[in-house]
Amino acid sequence: MKALFIGQTYIDVTFITDHMPTGDEKHVASDYAVSFGGNAVTAAFCCAKLGIVPDLIATVANDWLGRMFMDMSAKYAIEVHPRKVASSSLSFIMPKDGKRAIVRCRDDEHIHPFPLLNLGACRALHIDGHQPDAAIHYAKLCREAGILTSLDGGGLRTNTHELLEFIDVAIVAERLCEQMDLTPEKMLDYLKARGCRVGGVTLGEKGLLWYDEAGTVHTLPALPIPREKVIDTNGAGDVFHGAYVYSYLANPGDSWAEHFKFARAASTFKIQRLGNEAGLPTLSDIAAVREEYRAQV
């Protein structure tokens, strides 16, 4: 095991439409994509696509969507340690004008306890707060073993405050700031107070506000991609997380500023493609993005 990711599995159905029908109305979408979804799950696929294949503890149901997900995982050689649920979770995503509307059906009632794994040579843990019992268990284990712990704080979970005590790198969404009634600057102070070595807030088109190991605050602006090239922002944050975990594993001597610049290029690639799978970059894709915007990187 090189890295372990833990999260909630979704199947994402993403479609482009200029109108949402109501009542008995019908409308034809202009394009669609079907892919794996979920914060840490998508991050795991991103890390695998870049060349370091992680293990994944994810919710899996014995239904056709669950079997579809396992087929997707096998394609990327991801070792899935399934946690059984009764039915698969599904997202319907409608991107438009740099935003995305989402309708979700979620089953997070776990039938069995989380699997107990031998971490072996694991060098990084990435979690999104779903499966809170598994998240806290492995965060504590990894902290004790000196394994990097990373959190995608996309929203407030039942044990977010407790979990942060065991997180080295916490990159949270602006939504968490809103839920906790904190400005991004105050969120950085909160993450520092919880003991996170590196922390940040993703701000969409405004980039990343973050602090390094010395506590120094930095701003990483988003790359100036033309608006007409932005197709689907859903999953961009997940790709960002998967890419910086990959960068940490592949280039441990690099600074977190460099890991985040690498991840910024990855998420810039993602938002130009429809659906999560199409938006997973290769190393050459990231190099091409950085070359295109070399004046800003």
Side-chain angles (χ1 to χ4, degrees), residues 85-280:
V85 290
S87 61
S88 292
S89 298
L90 187 64
S91 291
F92 297 94
I93 302 156
M94 295 140 280
K96 189 175 183 180
D97 298 329
K99 308 293 183 183
R100 75 269 196 267
I102 302 176
V103 177
R104 283 180 172 156
C105 308
R106 181 166 72 201
D107 182 359
D108 53 9
E109 295 293 327
H110 309 122
I111 296 172
H112 300 303
F114 58 85
L116 298 175
L117 307 178
N118 179 358
L119 294 174
C122 180
R123 293 174 48 219
L125 169 73
H126 180 67
I127 54 183
D128 60 15
H130 289 291
Q131 301 195 52
D133 51 353
I136 196 75
H137 172 83
Y138 282 102
K140 288 179 178 179
L141 275 184
C142 290
R143 170 57 66 84
E144 291 168 2
I147 298 167
L148 182 88
T149 55
S150 166
L151 173 68
D152 174 355
L156 191 62
R157 314 293 182 200
T158 55
N159 64 348
T160 297
H161 185 74
E162 179 188 6
L163 185 59
L164 283 167
E165 182 183 347
F166 305 98
I167 298 299
D168 296 314
V169 180
I171 304 299
V172 309
E174 203 168 6
R175 175 170 170 254
L176 182 63
C177 299
E178 295 166 356
Q179 290 174 324
M180 296 181 64
D181 196 25
L182 296 173
T183 65
E185 293 77 12
K186 290 295 184 183
M187 176 58 75
L188 297 190
D189 292 339
Y190 169 70
L191 296 177
K192 289 178 184 178
R194 295 306 296 151
C196 301
R197 184 159 53 90
V198 176
V201 180
T202 54
L203 302 169
E205 61 188 17
K206 292 180 286 185
L208 174 72
L209 182 70
W210 69 286
Y211 65 85
D212 59 24
E213 294 96 329
T216 305
V217 175
H218 306 268
T219 299
L220 183 68
L223 294 178
I225 179 171
R227 184 165 291 276
E228 62 271 16
K229 288 189 175 183
V230 178
I231 295 173
D232 177 16
T233 59
N234 188 63
D238 308 330
V239 167
F240 183 88
H241 286 89
Y244 76 62
V245 172
Y246 166 84
S247 183
Y248 168 81
L249 294 170
N251 304 291
D254 286 354
S255 67
W256 279 100
E258 182 56 34
H259 296 323
F260 291 149
K261 287 178 181 178
F262 178 89
R264 175 180 62 176
S267 60
T268 300
F269 177 88
K270 162 64 193 78
I271 64 177
Q272 299 179 71
R273 275 84 186 167
L274 184 65
N276 288 337
E277 184 167 19
L280 298 181

